[in-house]
Amino acid sequence: MEQIIAAGLEELGLMGRVPEDAPAQLAQYGRMLLEKNQVMNLTAIRDPEGVARLHMLDCAALLKFCDFQGKTLIDVGTGAGFPGMVLKILAPSLRITFLDSLAKRLDWLTEVYEDLDGVDNITTFHGRAEEFGLNRSFRDSFDFATARAVADLRVLSELCLPFVKVGGRFLAMKSVDSGQELENAAHAVKLLGGKVVQVEDYPIPGTEITHRLIMVEKLAPTLKGYPRRWAKIQKEPL
Ligand code: SAM
């Protein structure tokens, strides 16, 4: 895994911008993921090469488009730590908060970062994004909110944009066939104070797969009353 990751980071143009030991750290994280996956459902990808490419390098690609050093970031629906843990390993000064509604996955993430040298300044919160987004200490306060494979963009905007400070960015990791999804989310993004400022398609090194990063800038604070309750979000997406 380490060699595939190192070659992939090189191809992404990131070598030299990330810590020297990042490929080794990401490979160790990948090995821990595969090991734990035998007893806990963490990922559908079960081979080391797949983990290296479809998890580690897919998430690493975000560094091509954003500078995370010294910033604050909340990874919403982080699951086994994607993209958050990868970004933290590659940009160690990032101050990261992992949020997920499944406690078991967060407990495992805590084990991971305790095992990885030099990976600190991490906070984990167990709970639902739409509830945390109402909490004043989380609202309008992060430089970045990220999410991969959590929900449709209309719903995701309501879960993620409330966390982002004005001037910060919500980063949604999507597939390249998300054009209609993006159109459908236009109203939600605007209502929640955001504006789509960049859409970047990127190939995942060593694969035929291209993924998409949708970047939404927060232009105005979140309106009172958002996010709404989960039942309402689902029944009447914005
Ligand atoms: N982001 C990871 C990835 O790309 O591998 C995990 C994706 S997994 C399919 C979706 C995760 O989002 C699950 O761990 C689930 O518990 C979490 N989740 C879904 N809805 C959520 C919500 N409203 N608030 C917090 N976590 C949520």
Side-chain angles (χ1 to χ4, degrees):
M1 263 196 278
E2 187 176 333
Q3 280 173 347
I4 294 174
I5 293 167
L9 291 175
E10 183 77 52
E11 202 176 319
L12 289 167
L14 297 175
M15 281 305 235
R17 274 179 56 192
V18 299
E20 258 179 42
D21 65 350
Q25 297 256 46
L26 289 172
Q28 189 184 337
Y29 170 33
R31 281 191 298 275
M32 292 177 80
L33 176 74
L34 285 171
E35 197 184 316
K36 193 70 179 180
N37 205 38
Q38 294 179 4
V39 290
M40 189 192 287
N41 181 18
L42 291 172
T43 175
I45 300 167
R46 296 182 183 277
D47 64 295
E49 182 172 351
V51 166
R53 297 195 190 287
L54 302 176
H55 283 319
M56 306 305 172
L57 295 174
D58 180 29
C59 298
L62 268 60
L63 265 87
K64 277 166 64 97
F65 311 110
C66 302
D67 179 9
F68 295 104
Q69 294 289 0
K71 302 285 182 4
T72 53
L73 182 149
I74 183 162
D75 191 22
V76 176
T78 189
F82 301 110
M85 186 61 92
V86 177
L87 300 179
K88 175 66 185 168
I89 290 170
L90 295 172
S93 62
L94 179 65
R95 282 172 289 149
I96 188 156
T97 300
F98 293 104
L99 177 67
D100 204 283
S101 52
L102 261 182
K104 274 199 305 186
R105 291 183 175 161
L106 293 172
D107 292 345
W108 176 74
L109 266 184
T110 305
E111 280 173 34
V112 171
Y113 85 77
E114 283 172 356
D115 255 45
L116 293 175
D117 285 342
V119 178
D120 51 16
N121 249 326
I122 277 176
T123 311
T124 57
F125 281 110
H126 169 224
R128 298 200 57 92
E130 64 277 16
E131 290 166 14
F132 272 81
L134 294 170
N135 183 322
R136 274 211 206 144
S137 40
F138 293 101
R139 217 172 152 78
D140 297 315
S141 61
F142 292 86
D143 294 307
F144 292 100
T146 49
R148 188 183 80 155
V150 177
D152 175 272
L153 195 59
R154 271 211 286 186
V155 169
L156 204 55
S157 298
E158 191 163 356
L159 299 183
C160 294
L161 266 170
F163 291 117
V164 181
K165 64 160 95 152
V166 172
R169 286 187 172 194
F170 158 41
L171 308 177
M173 296 177 72
K174 291 284 172 188
S175 70
V176 278
D177 54 16
S178 53
Q180 189 62 51
E181 191 181 332
L182 183 56
E183 264 181 44
N184 295 345
H187 173 67
V189 168
K190 193 168 175 205
L191 184 81
L192 293 159
K195 183 182 177 195
V196 177
V197 286
Q198 227 171 314
V199 176
E200 298 281 357
D201 290 349
Y202 59 90
I204 301 176
T207 74
E208 304 282 297
I209 300 168
T210 300
H211 275 177
R212 175 170 292 170
L213 177 63
I214 298 173
M215 293 190 246
V216 180
E217 187 171 336
K218 183 91 168 260
L219 301 178
T222 309
L223 292 174
K224 215 174 154 205
Y226 295 94
R228 298 164 299 160
R229 288 175 182 213
W230 181 241
K232 190 96 174 164
I233 294 176
Q234 267 193 317
K235 215 166 114 195
E236 293 167 31
L238 295 172

